[in-house]
Amino acid sequence: MDHFLYRDGALHAEDVPLSEIAASVGTPFYVYSTATLERHFKLLDDALEGTEHLVCYAMKAASNQAILKTLAALGAGMDVVSGGEYARAKAAGVPGERIVFSGIGKTREEVHQALTGGIRQFNVESEPEMQVISEIATALNVIAPITIRVNPDVDAKTHAKIATGKSENKFGIPISRAREVYDLAASLPGLKVIGIDVHIGSQLIDLAPFEAAYNKVAELTEQLRTDGHEISRLDLGGGLGIPYARSNEAPPSPTDYGALIKKCVGHLGCEIEIEPGRLIAGNAGLLVSQVIYVKSGEDREFLIIDGAMNDLIRPAMYDAHHDIVPVVESEVGVLPIPYDIVGPVCESGDTFAKGRHMPPLKAGDLVAFRSAGAYGAVMASEYNTRPLIPEVLVKGDQFAVIRPRPTFDEMINRDTIPEWL
Ligand code: LLP
């Protein structure tokens, strides 16, 4: 459930009509609902009630400072994957002891930054990375808490570009070699091994792959304990999917997911972490765009809108489906017609949907892409020198621009001219 509903025929974000935001900030823009962000965080937090746990929001999904602050105020931890994200988490007031550092290519600078700024744990993905963290921690005279990310060789049954848990994927240490790698970690100075990490992919719409992976983690926990390692924390990653096509998708609920976690690993007495991104932010955000032209092709109608692939790359990159709805609700009895919904960028890949049934629309009408809160604004670019679009946060009847649209001059003036020109 989200807080984007029609009232008197006008789509609202909580209590604010989207047309009002459009009139104030221009189109296209992203808009997020505070109540939805909070609701999704709480659903997951509640699903793990009864076990010691921390929900570490995977901020790669949507990392605006206002979103981070909203979640941090509820006690969220953060899962970061770069020095930039680490800095964002700290800037939003998240203490180091609630920040988990994931990713396969942490640089020396990033390790140094996190060790000096404070870190809950590094999720280590290779032996050379482990050596580097050990070296830097020793030089700083601190102890780095680590888990080791294992690759359980489980098929997440999601889009190939976002599956991470098969042995051919670049992520983690093969679970078959885990015991020797834990022995190596225990022998290195400056490290404290505290647990196991696993993340098998994103947009999982079935619990079975989670179950397979978590059972393997449970088995490994017992083996490692027999080997003398203290395993007190399990980071179970993110990945729970959301319904992108509301008419025919029903991914598992957070409650079922929480119950599965308890069933698979609850008996081990470990503290549990999860790293959800999409489930928290995905349906908490819309992309709102305006129709520029309706163009008749030979055998189809094109709806040319002012949002483009640079603003929302998911359809072009993953063939992702987003429900697209008119901001003014269609009247009962109006027959929908099929449109190819496209942006202005000069590539045929700049297509959001083909043959999508919509009520008849005309230039100036507004449309909203649902489920655009995660991996939307964060993956945007300035391709075609199109400004990054504004982000707006709504809370009740208030809204605020949380990232303004840059002017053309601001964009151009970031370039610098060499002295010979
Ligand atoms: N933890 C780790 C280590 C991850 O790599 C990811 C996502 C997450 C947590 C959060 O996963 P989530 O709960 O959001 O599924 N750009 C793609 C998704 C990439 C996901 C990358 N890793 C998309 O638009 O679908």
Side-chain angles (χ1 to χ4, degrees):
M1 203 211 99
D2 62 40
H3 292 75
F4 301 109
L5 299 172
Y6 289 101
R7 287 191 201 164
D8 297 329
L11 191 58
H12 282 59
E14 302 191 16
D15 300 332
V16 184
L18 291 179
S19 56
E20 191 181 319
I21 303 177
S24 164
V25 305
T27 55
F29 62 90
Y30 279 101
V31 56
Y32 307 95
S33 148
T34 299
T36 314
L37 287 166
E38 292 181 343
R39 177 173 187 275
H40 291 163
F41 175 83
K42 284 182 191 151
L43 277 175
L44 282 164
D45 201 30
D46 290 350
L48 292 176
E49 212 183 278
T51 46
E52 196 190 342
H53 69 273
L54 185 66
V55 177
C56 294
Y57 170 59
M59 61 183 273
K60 61 166 77 68
S63 57
N64 189 290
Q65 291 295 292
I67 294 176
L68 302 186
K69 270 183 175 289
T70 300
L71 295 170
L74 302 178
M78 296 289 155
D79 172 51
V80 309
V81 291
S82 68
E85 285 195 350
Y86 180 88
R88 274 191 178 277
K90 290 301 284 282
V94 182
E97 62 267 25
R98 279 202 264 141
I99 303 176
V100 167
F101 208 133
S102 299
I104 62 162
K106 301 173 199 78
T107 63
R108 286 175 171 271
E109 291 73 23
E110 287 170 334
V111 170
H112 188 275
Q113 177 188 8
L115 281 175
T116 49
I119 190 78
R120 179 177 180 80
Q121 97 223 7
F122 291 99
N123 292 333
V124 173
E125 300 224 15
S126 65
E127 288 109 315
E129 182 196 352
M130 199 183 283
Q131 303 273 4
V132 163
I133 298 176
S134 163
E135 226 177 82
I136 298 174
T138 308
L140 289 170
N141 202 20
V142 296
I143 298 290
I146 67 159
T147 71
I148 296 174
R149 176 169 176 181
V150 294
N151 183 324
D153 197 20
V154 165
D155 185 350
K157 300 211 163 46
T158 183
H159 191 285
K161 286 187 183 160
I162 53 175
T164 55
K166 285 289 285 172
S167 57
E168 70 258 28
N169 300 132
K170 65 184 177 181
F171 301 95
I173 279 171
I175 199 159
S176 52
R177 282 208 299 116
R179 291 173 83 171
E180 56 180 278
V181 178
Y182 271 85
D183 286 343
L184 170 67
S187 73
L188 293 176
L191 299 182
K192 180 164 169 49
V193 181
I194 54 167
I196 305 174
D197 170 45
V198 72
H199 170 79
I200 56 172
S202 194
Q203 185 54 15
L204 273 70
I205 49 166
D206 182 5
L207 287 182
F210 284 120
E211 184 166 14
Y214 296 168
N215 282 336
K216 288 191 180 194
V217 167
E219 196 184 325
L220 180 63
T221 304
E222 281 167 357
Q223 285 170 350
L224 292 174
R225 284 178 172 168
T226 313
D227 294 348
H229 301 288
E230 221 182 275
I231 303 296
S232 59
R233 186 179 291 169
L234 300 178
D235 182 334
L236 300 175
L240 188 57
I242 61 169
Y244 277 97
R246 293 183 180 216
S247 47
N248 60 11
E249 276 179 7
S253 72
T255 314
D256 291 347
Y257 176 63
L260 176 83
I261 289 176
K262 289 179 197 167
K263 182 179 105 181
C264 297
V265 301
H267 58 289
L268 298 166
C270 291
E271 180 183 7
I272 304 299
E273 280 168 4
I274 53 171
E275 302 169 349
R278 191 188 314 264
L279 194 112
I280 291 178
N283 281 328
L286 303 180
L287 167 65
V288 179
S289 183
Q290 189 172 41
V291 177
I292 309 176
Y293 299 115
V294 182
K295 167 172 163 172
S296 296
E298 187 148 50
D299 59 353
R300 63 194 65 214
E301 293 287 285
F302 292 101
L303 205 60
I304 304 173
I305 61 175
D306 61 2
M309 63 189 291
N310 69 299
D311 305 312
L312 178 68
I313 191 79
R314 302 194 69 258
M317 193 154 171
Y318 314 111
D319 295 318
H321 171 99
H322 286 262
D323 282 350
I324 305 171
V325 295
V327 166
V328 174
E329 196 171 21
S330 111
E331 284 175 19
V332 185
V334 172
L335 276 189
I337 50 174
Y339 287 109
D340 280 13
I341 303 178
V342 302
V345 164
C346 312
E347 300 196 20
S348 296
D350 186 21
T351 297
F352 291 116
K354 287 196 167 159
R356 187 69 67 85
H357 283 79
M358 304 280 289
L361 290 164
K362 57 181 188 323
D365 287 346
L366 297 174
V367 294
F369 288 64
R370 290 197 184 272
S371 316
Y375 308 110
V378 285
M379 293 181 78
S381 76
E382 290 180 344
Y383 186 37
N384 282 206
T385 306
R386 292 168 49 88
L388 289 181
I389 67 178
E391 293 181 283
V392 173
L393 183 65
V394 170
K395 184 177 169 68
D397 61 2
Q398 314 169 67
F399 73 90
V401 174
I402 56 175
R403 191 184 65 193
R405 193 189 312 274
T407 64
F408 294 147
D409 278 349
E410 281 164 348
M411 294 167 74
I412 295 164
N413 291 337
R414 287 205 309 263
D415 296 357
T416 51
I417 308 295
E419 60 184 20
W420 65 82
L421 281 176

